C-alpha cells in the first residue's frame, strides 16, 4: 500500500505547505481537495495546472487522486452533473492524477450508472477513473458496488472505501471488502470517537475497526493508495494533521503485504 494525505486536513494552508507536510510525513502521494480555498479546482488555466503538477512532482510526490464533490446520483438533469464531472476529469489528466472522487448524493443507482456511462469514453481516453466514495445515500460497500455493477464500465470506475462510513452504517469491514470485489480502487483511512460521534481522533484511539480492515486489505493483496483523510476542515478544534500522519504511516507499514 502507498500512503497519501488529503488536503482536507490542512485548512488555510496553501499547496506548497501541503506538499511540505506530505513529504515530511513520509507520504508518496497527495490527495488534492477540489475547492477554491485550496487553490486547486477546475477553473485553473493551463499555466496554473502546469504549476501545480510541477510543484508536486518536484517534491518527489504523486497526486493520488482529486477529491471532487460531484454528486453522481444527485436528483435532477444529467447535463450539469456530467459537465462538472468531465471538467474534473480533464483537470485530473492535466495534473497527472489517476482518479477523481465523487459522492453519490442520491440513492438511485440507475441515475448514477447513466452518468458514469456518459463520461466513460472521455475518462478512458484521459486515463482517469471515477472513484465513487462510500458516503451519504450510498454509504456501504454493497450500495457502491451495486452502482458500479449497473454502470458496467470497470475500466473507468472504481470504489473508494472510506473506512468510517460503511462501518458506522452497520456493514463490517469483511462485508465491505467482499462487496467491493474487483471494484476496490482507493482507500481513505481515519478514526473517530464512535459510530454516532464522528469527531476525528488519532488512529487507534477511536472506535473504527482499523486492524480488522488493515488485515483484510493485506490478505486481499491490496497495493493501491491509502489516504489519510483528517477532517480538520470540518472539525477545526482537532490537532494538526502533521501530528496524525505518523499513525497513518504506521498503519500502512503494518498492513502492507
Amino acid at each position: 500500500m502507498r500512503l497519501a494525505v488529503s488536503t482536507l486536513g490542512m485548512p488555510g494552508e496553501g499547496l506548497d505547505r501541503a506538499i511540505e507536510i506530505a513529504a515530511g510525513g513520509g507520504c508518496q502521494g497527495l490527495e488534492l481537495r477540489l475547492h477554491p480555498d485550496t487553490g486547486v479546482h477546475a477553473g485553473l488555466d493551463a499555466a496554473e495546472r502546469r504549476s501545480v503538477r510541477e510543484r508536486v512532482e518536484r517534491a518527489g510526490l504523486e497526486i493520488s487522486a482529486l477529491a471532487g464533490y460531484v454528486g453522481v446520483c444527485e436528483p435532477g438533469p444529467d447535463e450539469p452533473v456530467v459537465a462538472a464531472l468531465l471538467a474534473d476529469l480533464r483537470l485530473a489528466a492535466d495534473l497527472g492524477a489517476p482518479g477523481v472522487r465523487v459522492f453519490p448524493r442520491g440513492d438511485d443507482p440507475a441515475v448514477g450508472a447513466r452518468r458514469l456511462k456518459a463520461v466513460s469514453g472521455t475518462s478512458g481516453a484521459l486515463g482517469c477513473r471515477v472513484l465513487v466514495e462510500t458516503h451519504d445515500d450510498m454509504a456501504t460497500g454493497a450500495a457502491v458496488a451495486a452502482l458500479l455493477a449497473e454502470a458496467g464500465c470497470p475500466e473507468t470506475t472504481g470504489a473508494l472505501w472510506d473506512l468510517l462510513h460503511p462501518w458506522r452504517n452497520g456493514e463490517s469491514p469483511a462485508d465491505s471488502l467482499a462487496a467491493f470485489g474487483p471494484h476496490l480502487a482507493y482507500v481513505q483511512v481515519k478514526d473517530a470517537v464512535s459510530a454516532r460521534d464522528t469527531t476525528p481522533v488519532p488512529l487507534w484511539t477511536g472506535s473504527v475497526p482499523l486492524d480488522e480492515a488493515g488485515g483484510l486489505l493485506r490478505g486481499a493483496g491490496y497495493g493501491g493508495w491509502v489516504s489519510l483523510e483528517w477532517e480538520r476542515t470540518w472539525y477545526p478544534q482537532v490537532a494538526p494533521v502533521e501530528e496524525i500522519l505518523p499513525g497513518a504511516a504506521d498503519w500502512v507499514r503494518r498492513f502492507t503485504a
Side-chain angles (χ1 to χ4, degrees):
M1 292 188 279
R2 308 179 71 205
L3 177 64
V5 61
S6 170
T7 54
L8 184 66
M10 310 171 197
E13 305 284 9
L15 178 62
D16 290 335
R17 177 58 181 151
I19 291 168
E20 181 182 2
I21 290 169
C27 296
Q28 293 80 49
L30 184 62
E31 180 185 307
L32 297 177
R33 175 182 178 236
L34 299 186
H35 194 277
D37 290 348
T38 69
V40 182
H41 51 82
L44 297 183
D45 63 27
E48 291 168 328
R49 294 175 186 219
R50 282 195 302 271
S51 175
V52 170
R53 182 168 184 166
E54 289 169 359
R55 286 148 71 190
V56 172
E57 291 177 349
R58 200 158 47 234
L61 297 171
E62 299 175 42
I63 298 174
S64 60
L66 301 186
Y69 288 90
V70 171
V72 74
C73 299
E74 187 172 357
D78 289 352
E79 289 78 6
V81 176
V82 169
L85 184 49
L86 288 172
D88 285 353
L89 286 165
R90 293 185 180 110
L91 176 64
D94 288 343
L95 299 185
V100 174
R101 186 277 307 278
V102 299
F103 288 141
R105 303 274 194 226
D107 60 5
D108 187 344
V111 172
R114 188 171 64 241
R115 293 164 177 172
L116 290 173
K117 290 175 183 175
V119 303
S120 182
T122 300
S123 183
L126 294 171
C128 298
R129 301 177 80 182
V130 181
L131 306 173
V132 183
E133 182 172 339
T134 50
H135 198 272
D136 55 80
D137 293 308
M138 293 185 179
T140 64
V144 168
L147 165 61
L148 296 177
E150 183 156 348
C153 37
E155 299 83 3
T156 58
T157 60
L160 189 161
W161 186 10
D162 180 311
L163 298 184
L164 172 65
H165 296 303
W167 165 76
R168 75 183 186 91
N169 280 274
E171 186 179 71
S172 71
D175 287 344
S176 295
L177 189 60
F180 291 133
H183 296 295
L184 181 63
Y186 198 92
V187 175
Q188 288 177 338
V189 65
K190 63 181 71 168
D191 206 347
V193 172
S194 69
R196 294 177 63 86
D197 180 356
T198 57
T199 302
V201 293
L203 271 63
W204 289 294
T205 67
S207 302
V208 178
L210 297 174
D211 287 344
E212 182 182 356
L216 288 163
L217 287 167
R218 180 176 57 198
Y222 177 75
W225 287 107
V226 172
S227 178
L228 171 64
E229 190 183 50
W230 183 244
E231 296 182 332
R232 198 178 188 211
T233 294
W234 314 131
Y235 299 87
Q237 76 277 15
V238 301
V241 72
E242 304 95 295
E243 297 181 17
I244 310 304
L245 257 175
D250 183 29
W251 188 86
V252 167
R253 282 194 299 269
R254 196 175 295 192
F255 295 111
T256 296

